[in-house]
Amino acid sequence: MATVIDTLTGARPRHPEKQSRPDTPMLRKPEWLRVRAPGSPGYAATKAIVKEHALTTVCEEAACPNIGECWSISHATMMIMGDTCTRACAFCNVITGKPQALDPTEPARVADAVVKMGLKHVVITSVDRDDLADGGAAHFAEVVRAIRAQAVGTTIEILTPDFLRKPTSAAELVIDAKPDVFNHNLETVPRLYLSIRPGARYFHSLRLLERVKERDPEQFTKSGLMVGLGETKEEVMQVMDDMRSANIDFLTIGQYLQPTRKHAAVDRFVTPDEFHAYEEIARAKGFLMVSASPLTRSSHHAGEDFAKLQAARRAKDAA
């Protein structure tokens, strides 16, 4: 577990634990990773709803390159339990530090925003809350129940923390809230965890997703990887095999993009042809659904992908 000790005075940076690190080089993005700056009327409307309900979105906090596209069609990924994470992952742009207390009004505000946006499929994620006894599991479950109550018919996808060093009952609270898709990202290959995801444990994350299937076989499970961090093709293929052993249904693979010079450097930009090859390999290994491209992110096209996921299960059951 990474421990953050705040010895700074004055204006607090987003990542105090990274300030003493030397700057890393930032590679020039290739053509296939360049996107238009957001600015459509739909984007502005979504931004207004997010502001009106005092919501935090991972789209903004993680500097997602797809924000212009997603927000133009009212697809915003809500980030609950505050904007400050207790972890210090080397790849992530979310603020690191000591979080505020949970807001009991948040579940209702999130559900109301889902209704106003007219979302048929919503993705809810969160910061890590290692400071809480249950890692925020009860709050996460309450948000799912609030959406169910107010936005009848909306399907719910959650992207959860790992609940590391929390009671088994914590994860079970979230599973038992019965989201349609339970997502937890493995993020990278085991060899790189110490440098890229030091506060997490690879096999704990894998076991979390396996436990979802054991407790509720009907829930879809999903996980994602970043590539371009120095992993090998063979390591990625081994992670695919590990995921299939845990009965994970849906795999996403996207290019890692470096938020600042203080974050982990991009080792290389993986080409679209390589992503296509990863997708073909993953489908051959038995995933119901695979999304692999330079700009793939966990919640990108989540609604359309959920419909494809359902169709793939029906086809498999029929066969």
Side-chain angles (χ1 to χ4, degrees), residues 211-251:
R211 194 182 305 132
V212 175
K213 281 295 188 184
E214 291 173 351
R215 193 166 180 87
D216 185 359
E218 294 304 308
Q219 271 186 49
F220 288 105
T221 49
K222 179 177 177 180
S223 191
L225 286 175
M226 301 174 292
V227 291
L229 281 162
E231 71 292 327
T232 67
K233 181 179 179 180
E234 291 74 21
E235 287 176 315
V236 172
M237 292 171 65
Q238 181 61 60
V239 172
M240 291 181 188
D241 288 337
D242 292 344
M243 287 184 179
R244 290 303 303 131
S245 294
N247 292 314
I248 293 170
D249 298 304
F250 188 173
L251 168 63

Side-chain angles (χ1 to χ4, degrees), residues 105-119:
T105 71
E106 184 173 55
R109 288 189 288 105
V110 169
D112 188 51
V114 170
V115 172
K116 287 187 177 179
M117 289 181 186
L119 297 179

Side-chain angles (χ1 to χ4, degrees), residues 24-286:
T24 53
M26 295 189 73
L27 303 180
R28 180 178 173 82
K29 293 178 185 176
E31 185 63 35
W32 63 78
L33 280 169
R34 295 175 189 171
V35 296
R36 290 184 177 181
S40 69
Y43 169 86
T46 299
K47 189 176 181 70
I49 292 173
V50 168
K51 183 177 180 180
E52 176 190 352
H53 290 78
L55 301 175
T56 302
T57 70
V58 73
C59 320
E60 296 169 296
E61 297 301 320
C64 180
N66 301 315
I67 188 171
E69 176 190 350
C70 293
W71 282 30
S72 68
I73 54 173
S74 299
H75 184 87
T77 298
M78 318 291 185
M79 190 168 78
I80 62 173
M81 298 196 284
D83 65 354
T84 303
C85 187
T86 54
R87 301 282 174 92
C89 296
F91 66 88
C92 186
N93 196 45
V94 174
I95 298 169
T96 301
K98 182 179 179 180
Q100 299 294 316
L102 293 178
D103 181 351
T105 71
E106 184 173 55
R109 288 189 288 105
V110 169
D112 188 51
V114 170
V115 172
K116 287 187 177 179
M117 289 181 186
L119 297 179
K120 295 181 180 179
H121 185 84
V122 62
V123 182
I124 306 295
T125 188
S126 77
V127 291
D128 277 285
R129 291 298 303 260
D130 297 308
D131 58 309
L132 302 174
D134 68 350
H139 189 83
F140 222 120
E142 186 59 35
V143 170
V144 173
R145 288 192 289 267
I147 295 170
R148 287 271 185 249
Q150 290 196 50
V152 179
T154 296
T155 50
I156 302 171
E157 180 172 328
I158 60 172
L159 174 53
T160 75
D162 57 12
F163 304 112
L164 183 63
R165 300 186 179 90
K166 305 303 177 185
T168 302
S169 58
E172 291 174 348
L173 278 174
V174 186
I175 298 167
D176 292 348
K178 293 194 173 297
D180 297 281
V181 182
F182 193 115
N183 184 3
H184 173 66
N185 288 333
L186 296 186
E187 304 292 9
T188 189
V189 301
R191 177 176 58 84
L192 297 178
Y193 259 55
L194 186 60
S195 59
I196 300 301
R197 202 178 177 219
R201 299 294 178 267
Y202 176 80
F203 287 105
H204 174 86
S205 288
L206 196 65
R207 177 64 183 137
L208 170 64
L209 290 158
E210 185 178 47
R211 194 182 305 132
V212 175
K213 281 295 188 184
E214 291 173 351
R215 193 166 180 87
D216 185 359
E218 294 304 308
Q219 271 186 49
F220 288 105
T221 49
K222 179 177 177 180
S223 191
L225 286 175
M226 301 174 292
V227 291
L229 281 162
E231 71 292 327
T232 67
K233 181 179 179 180
E234 291 74 21
E235 287 176 315
V236 172
M237 292 171 65
Q238 181 61 60
V239 172
M240 291 181 188
D241 288 337
D242 292 344
M243 287 184 179
R244 290 303 303 131
S245 294
N247 292 314
I248 293 170
D249 298 304
F250 188 173
L251 168 63
T252 61
I253 308 177
Q255 171 70 51
Y256 166 64
L257 297 176
Q258 183 179 351
T260 73
R261 292 185 181 276
K262 297 296 183 183
H263 286 75
V266 174
D267 178 72
R268 72 185 186 96
F269 291 113
V270 178
T271 68
D273 285 346
E274 290 175 278
F275 277 104
H276 180 70
Y278 277 140
E279 180 171 345
E280 292 296 306
I281 293 168
R283 290 189 184 279
K285 289 181 180 292

